[in-house]
Amino acid sequence: MPDELRVVVPGSDGLLGPTKHALETSVTKYGRELLREAQRLESRNRANTGPAQVTVRDVRDAEIIKSRNLTPPKKDMVAQGLWVTASVSGIATGWFGNQTQETWGVIGLFVCGLIMVVSGLLGYLK
């Protein structure tokens, strides 16, 4: 016998079959995600090896996490490209730093250092 939880959604009486089914599917999916998050929180807070027991606090905390979507947003490709540029420029700056006895080494050191700083700042601000 599958687990069953009766949930009443006010205003869903007037929905037609396919719409009501879509709502039930969404509520079920959200409920699964909410329970999974509550179980994760419970296992994180449990100090002993006793049986798992999800509490009201775990469910409420999981609801807050899910509703606020606290996962950090993915950075776009431009920001990641700027970070890669800053890293490569940092390596080049180090290499040019060993070539300062030549004029081109000093120029390369300055240019790569400037590129590193600017792309690092832009990547941070993005």
Side-chain angles (χ1 to χ4, degrees):
M1 181 170 168
D3 293 339
E4 192 172 306
L5 179 66
R6 180 163 162 64
V7 177
V8 177
V9 179
S12 63
D13 298 354
L15 298 177
L16 298 177
T19 308
K20 197 169 199 170
H21 179 69
L23 179 64
E24 288 173 357
T25 303
S26 296
V27 169
T28 302
K29 179 182 175 191
Y30 182 74
R32 269 192 226 116
E33 291 176 6
L34 187 65
L35 181 60
R36 190 176 308 122
E37 184 67 21
Q39 289 170 338
R40 185 189 69 79
L41 290 172
E42 188 276 334
S43 67
R44 183 191 68 188
N45 294 332
R46 186 169 14 118
N48 60 10
T49 58
Q53 185 171 357
V54 176
T55 62
V56 174
R57 181 178 177 188
D58 295 329
V59 174
R60 287 185 181 155
D61 289 348
E63 182 182 6
I64 290 170
I65 290 171
K66 284 302 198 183
S67 66
R68 290 185 182 169
N69 197 11
L70 295 179
T71 55
K74 290 185 178 180
K75 290 196 173 189
D76 59 330
M77 294 302 289
V78 174
Q80 289 183 0
L82 286 169
W83 281 109
V84 169
T85 302
S87 300
V88 171
S89 295
I91 293 169
T93 301
W95 185 79
F96 279 117
N98 288 332
Q99 310 299 328
T100 55
Q101 67 273 14
E102 302 290 334
T103 305
W104 58 267
V106 175
I107 294 170
L109 175 71
F110 177 74
V111 170
C112 286
L114 186 63
I115 290 171
M116 178 184 66
V117 170
V118 169
S119 61
L121 285 173
L122 290 175
Y124 175 74
L125 296 175
K126 196 86 171 119

